[in-house]
């Protein structure tokens, strides 16, 4: 059974720092990996989608890498801003299903 | 519409009541998913539709939970005889077609509180 773990569970940093959020999964047979952002009381906003054949994806200050063989992904946030404060969730799609399997998230707070 | 919409956004039910949660996917999206998110946890899969066919309902926690998508667009998640443990945010997502390579787009969720 696929399990997804995110470390750290919570992170509080001053504005301007570069951040790394970690995601690991137990079964490397995945279709893709998706990073989401969730603001309090809101739904999920997709940030980056990495196909299983890809190594990384970039969008603005965000960069996500995928090492399928070791079961790891990292989300790199450059020059963090208070507006980045949210919970970040990673999720994988198993090779034989279409459903997303989520980690429990990293709650990020960026203070001015 | 421009995105996935869900209604109601908030629902308070007394224990034992039946509730119905609605999801309007992005127009033309073939696949539709329901997830349940407990407080402080990541979302967990409930069920999956491809058009009107319910292909996977392995995540439904009990036979009190029922989902349908009769015309392959709007979907309804029904919970009968609600219990306190049903309190959660129910998220709906859609993707353009079937196949695990496709990005899923989420609605804002319905926050269900069972008293």
């Amino acid at each position: 059974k696929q399990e997804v773990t995110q470390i750290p569970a919570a992170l509080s940093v001053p504005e301007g720092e570069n951040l790394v959020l970690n995601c690991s999964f137990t079964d490397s047979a995945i279709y893709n990996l998706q990073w989401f952002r969730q603001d309090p009381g809101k739904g999920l906003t997709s940030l980056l989608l990495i196909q299983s054949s890809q190594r990384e994806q970039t969008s603005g200050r965000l960069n996500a890498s995928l090492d399928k063989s070791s079961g790891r992904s990292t989300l790199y946030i450059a020059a963090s801003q208070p507006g980045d404060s949210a919970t970040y969730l990673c999720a994988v799609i198993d090779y034989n299903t279409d459903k997303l399997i989520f980690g429990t998230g990293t709650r990020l707070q960026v203070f001015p | 519409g421009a995105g996935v919409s869900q209604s109601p956004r908030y629902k308070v039910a007394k224990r034992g009541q039946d509730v119905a949660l609605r999801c309007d996917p992005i127009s033309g999206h073939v696949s539709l998913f329901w997830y349940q998110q407990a407080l402080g946890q990541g979302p967990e899969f409930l069920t999956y539709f491809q058009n009107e066919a319910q292909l996977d309902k392995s995540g439904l926690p009990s036979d009190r939970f029922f989902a349908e998508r009769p015309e392959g667009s709007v979907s309804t998640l029904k919970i009968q005889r609600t219990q306190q443990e049903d309190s959660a945010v129910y998220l709906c997502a859609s993707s353009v077609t079937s196949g695990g390579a496709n990005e899923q787009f989420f609605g804002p969720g319905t926050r269900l509180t069972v008293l």
Side-chain angles (χ1 to χ4, degrees), chain B residues 3-15:
Chain B
V4 180
S5 61
Q6 293 185 245
S7 61
R9 291 293 314 280
Y10 304 91
K11 177 67 179 179
V12 178
K14 292 183 179 178
R15 191 175 58 176

Side-chain angles (χ1 to χ4, degrees), chain A residues 31-32 34 36 38 40-49 51 89 93-94 97-105, chain B residues 9-10 31 33 35 37 40-45 48 56 58 91 98-104 106-109 111:
Chain A
Y31 256 128
N32 64 38
Q34 226 172 323
F36 295 89
Q38 186 172 35
K42 301 293 177 65
L44 306 180
T45 300
S46 180
L47 297 174
L48 291 165
L49 171 72
Q51 304 285 357
L89 293 156
I93 293 185
D94 264 346
T97 73
D98 283 355
K99 58 189 176 188
L100 286 164
I101 300 170
F102 286 84
T104 52
Chain B
R9 291 293 314 280
Y10 304 91
S31 296
F33 305 82
Y35 295 86
Q37 186 176 24
Q41 301 296 313
E44 293 192 354
F45 170 80
Y48 160 55
D56 188 346
S58 62
L91 295 164
S98 60
N102 294 289
E103 187 173 2
Q104 294 185 25
F106 281 78
R111 181 176 297 276

